[in-house]
Amino acid sequence: MHATHLLLEEPIRMASILEPSKTNFYSAMTRIVGTLGSKSRSVEVLSGCLKAGMSVARFDFSLGDAEYHQETLENLKIAVKATKKLCAVMLDTVGAELQVINKSESSISLKADGLVVLTPNQDQEANSEILPISFDGLAKAVKKGDTIFMGQYLFTGSETTSVWLEVSEVKGADVVCVVKNSATLSGALFTLHVSQVHIDLPTLTEKDKEVIRTWGVKNSIDFLSLSYTRHAEDVREARQFLSTLGDIGQTQIFAKIENVEGLTHFDEILQEADGIILSRGNLGIDLPPEKVFLFQKAAVYKCNMAGKPAVVTRVVDSMTDNLRPTRAEATDVANAVLDGTDAILLGAETLRGFYPVETISIVGKICAEAEKVFNQDLYFKKTVKYVGEPMSHLESIASSAVRAAIKVKASIIICFTSSGRAARLIAKYRPTMPVLSVVIPRLKTNQLRWSFTGAFEARQSLIVRGLFPMLADPRHPAESTNSTNESVLKVALDHGKASGVIKSHDRVVVCQKVGDSSVVKIIELED
């Protein structure tokens, strides 16, 4: 078998490992979400991030105000035009997050075995003996012996810049803690995470709603990352709120699973959400370290079978300060891809790390190598078995398109879609070749004005593994005549040729709707 098609179940020959990596028109099928911040907001750096493979930009409102993020987004728009690389926008809520308020921004040193008091009195100045926090109900939530983790926001987990606390006693509204390791905290904001304790704060806070109502609506956000999702009801409430805001009623909700409470209700949350973000930073605190990998594998599998994107976080933390990942991190990225992950989310590495472009590039290369040995055949059989019989009409068409593409060794699958659902179903079966999702716009009206759908649907495919969107000419309706579809097909093929993914004599599988019928056809390109 050719080296580029080796599977992990087969013996891997050393020669294949020593072959240089081949570059494609796309860095990888697995998508990369980059968190934008202080080190990644200039047009130059953002252009580099897009070229390196970032397809979704995450704006985290735990840090920075709306004006700050708007400036970053305007720079991103300039970079998108300059590079001709599409990029979706994700708004990340603050949610039930506990924070230490350090108004002076001076460094705070904590010594092992010392005591520190967490107080809701924010008039206090943060120092090594007392730390004001943003939540006045902590004393009611914790008890002696509970564990609290604290560090700079998007904390690295390093025990020189992050600290473990153990609750010693509760005094009124204050919580007295024993410091378990010496550490120096720096910056204006530290995050608290109380292990396996329910925090009585809403998942979507009033502050979050205001940000969504203003910044979110103004910028037509593609994704809402719902931090600290604990119940399916959290997702339903967020969706109800979005439905009142006009255009962003189409925004997809990604439930961020960060604690045992969210893990316990995972199945119901998955049913309600459009996708899942496995926030391994906080989960790694709530769960024993030896259990984290089990949750990842189980959760990604469930997302895959449901056909909903799974996003994994905290993979190359060391690249915040270093140009290369550790060996363990490189393996971790590859294993996430082999598990079936749709996207890798980079936090501190791109937000405040020194090497945002290099990080995206290296993660993309690791993903591409892992994809070469991903056992698609085994995955396909598992998915078909899970779906069972009788299959729905769309599911049958999608699986048939992937099976045909693999049998004839097609270079690409082209799918015509208006909602994006058909293309996502094809991607669910993880074809070994890219899927060009040609979104056919539809005309709609709210009785005051006419507008076309399509832009949302195209951008929202940018978080799905293997999907590459293209927005068709709105003059061609979704359910068009065969001749019109052929002309749209020609545009799609020309796009594929220009991108370098299709060449003469290649075979292409096309999935399209002709009249009331869905058709899968195979075409062979001429010179």
Side-chain angles (χ1 to χ4, degrees):
M1 185 175 277
H2 193 269
T4 57
H5 292 99
L6 284 167
L7 303 179
L8 282 187
E9 282 69 20
E10 300 172 338
I12 295 181
R13 296 187 297 275
M14 281 295 171
S16 70
I17 298 167
L18 298 175
E19 281 179 0
S21 299
K22 293 182 175 67
T23 55
N24 297 312
F25 88 101
Y26 54 88
S27 55
M29 306 271 263
T30 307
R31 313 323 288 263
I32 297 175
V33 181
T35 305
L36 304 187
S38 58
K39 295 291 195 297
S40 53
R41 60 194 307 258
S42 70
V43 174
E44 182 184 3
V45 172
L46 288 168
S47 296
C49 290
L50 291 169
K51 288 176 184 174
M54 180 180 78
S55 63
V56 180
R58 173 174 171 256
F59 294 82
D60 191 338
F61 276 79
S62 293
L63 281 174
D65 57 18
E67 186 181 350
Y68 177 87
H69 288 303
Q70 192 63 45
E71 287 175 9
T72 307
L73 181 53
E74 295 306 321
N75 285 345
L76 177 64
K77 290 175 183 175
I78 295 169
V80 165
K81 283 183 180 175
T83 59
K84 294 183 171 60
K85 301 278 188 184
L86 270 182
C87 188
V89 171
M90 175 182 282
L91 188 160
D92 194 282
T93 63
V94 178
E97 183 174 87
L98 309 186
Q99 298 170 342
V100 173
I101 312 300
N102 181 20
K103 293 174 184 174
S104 69
E105 298 190 29
S106 56
S107 295
I108 297 171
S109 293
L110 299 172
K111 299 294 181 188
D113 301 324
L115 295 178
V116 67
V117 177
L118 305 179
T119 179
N121 180 2
Q122 294 185 25
D123 293 331
Q124 293 270 14
E125 191 70 36
N127 57 50
S128 58
E129 295 174 355
I130 192 160
L131 297 172
I133 61 174
S134 61
F135 178 51
D136 59 11
L138 185 65
K140 294 176 184 175
V142 298
K143 62 184 185 304
K144 181 178 172 64
D146 281 347
T147 299
I148 299 174
F149 183 75
M150 181 169 62
Q152 185 180 11
Y153 184 67
L154 291 179
F155 37 72
T156 63
S158 162
E159 293 189 351
T160 56
T161 59
S162 307
V163 68
W164 292 94
L165 306 174
E166 185 179 292
V167 176
S168 172
E169 63 175 315
V170 174
K171 284 186 175 179
D174 294 348
V175 178
V176 182
C177 300
V178 177
V179 180
K180 304 303 284 183
N181 65 285
S182 297
T184 300
L185 306 174
S186 58
L189 183 70
F190 318 133
T191 305
L192 290 181
H193 186 90
V194 188
S195 182
Q196 299 197 20
V197 170
H198 174 76
I199 298 300
D200 192 18
L201 281 172
T203 301
L204 196 64
T205 65
E206 288 306 313
K207 181 183 173 185
D208 289 328
K209 288 180 180 178
E210 183 58 26
V211 166
I212 296 165
R213 195 182 290 118
T214 52
W215 194 90
V217 170
K218 176 183 176 181
N219 296 297
S220 299
I221 57 169
D222 303 297
F223 304 107
L224 180 72
S225 167
L226 193 61
S227 295
Y228 295 93
T229 304
R230 293 164 285 188
H231 301 272
E233 187 58 32
D234 296 338
V235 182
R236 284 192 285 270
E237 286 177 8
R239 202 176 298 286
Q240 173 59 33
F241 176 67
L242 290 179
S243 71
T244 66
L245 301 177
D247 287 347
I248 68 164
Q250 297 179 73
T251 296
Q252 290 187 351
I253 299 173
F254 274 58
K256 210 168 167 194
I257 308 300
E258 313 201 39
N259 53 29
V260 166
E261 214 171 339
L263 187 155
T264 305
H265 303 105
F266 184 84
D267 289 349
E268 305 95 84
I269 291 169
L270 176 60
Q271 203 169 348
E272 290 293 330
D274 296 300
I276 297 288
I277 297 174
L278 311 179
S279 184
R280 301 191 311 172
N282 286 342
L283 272 171
I285 298 162
D286 244 28
L287 290 173
E290 67 272 19
K291 298 286 188 182
V292 177
F293 85 97
L294 282 174
F295 171 71
Q296 176 176 315
K297 287 182 179 294
V300 170
Y301 173 77
K302 289 184 176 192
C303 289
N304 288 167
M305 295 304 106
K308 295 186 177 182
V311 183
V312 168
T313 69
R314 305 299 297 270
V315 288
V316 286
D317 285 355
S318 72
M319 289 197 75
T320 304
D321 303 304
N322 300 300
L323 197 50
R324 287 167 63 89
T326 66
R327 288 79 176 160
E329 287 172 336
T331 305
D332 188 26
V333 173
N335 278 327
V337 174
L338 296 172
D339 285 345
T341 299
D342 283 84
I344 301 292
L345 191 155
L346 302 172
E349 305 97 320
T350 53
L351 175 97
R352 58 181 173 82
F354 295 116
Y355 309 104
V357 176
E358 291 85 352
T359 302
I360 293 167
S361 177
I362 287 173
V363 168
K365 287 176 182 176
I366 298 168
C367 290
E369 286 297 323
E371 287 158 10
K372 289 177 186 177
V373 295
F374 179 74
N375 193 332
Q376 196 280 336
D377 184 52
L378 182 63
Y379 179 93
F380 186 91
K381 287 173 183 172
K382 274 197 305 186
T383 310
V384 168
K385 184 178 178 182
Y386 181 89
V387 171
E389 294 177 354
M391 276 187 173
S392 69
H393 177 75
L394 259 182
E395 194 96 42
S396 176
I397 291 291
S399 58
S400 297
V402 175
R403 189 191 298 274
I406 289 165
K407 292 290 183 188
V408 303
K409 292 185 168 47
S411 57
I412 193 169
I413 298 172
I414 296 176
C415 176
F416 294 102
T417 180
S418 52
S419 67
R421 187 176 166 221
R424 285 195 299 273
L425 266 180
I426 290 173
K428 170 183 171 179
Y429 287 90
R430 295 285 186 261
T432 52
M433 66 290 296
V435 179
L436 183 59
S437 172
V438 183
V439 180
I440 312 285
R442 286 183 297 188
L443 195 59
K444 66 171 186 174
T445 180
N446 60 3
Q447 297 182 329
L448 293 174
R449 64 188 176 93
W450 291 89
S451 61
F452 283 104
T453 67
F456 259 112
E457 290 82 357
R459 290 193 304 267
Q460 285 172 341
S461 65
L462 290 167
I463 205 165
V464 180
R465 179 161 157 179
L467 270 194
F468 296 86
M470 173 187 150
L471 194 57
D473 190 318
R475 288 170 293 188
H476 299 309
E479 295 181 21
S480 54
T481 65
N482 190 47
S483 59
T484 305
N485 253 339
E486 289 300 336
S487 67
V488 181
L489 176 57
K490 185 178 184 306
V491 173
L493 290 171
D494 289 343
H495 176 72
K497 288 173 187 173
S499 303
V501 74
I502 308 174
K503 60 186 185 302
S504 297
H505 304 297
D506 275 3
R507 288 170 180 171
V508 175
V509 168
V510 180
C511 186
Q512 65 184 125
K513 196 163 187 178
V514 180
D516 293 329
S517 303
S518 296
V519 176
V520 174
K521 65 181 182 181
I522 302 160
I523 59 175
E524 189 162 336
L525 302 184
E526 298 173 355
D527 287 329

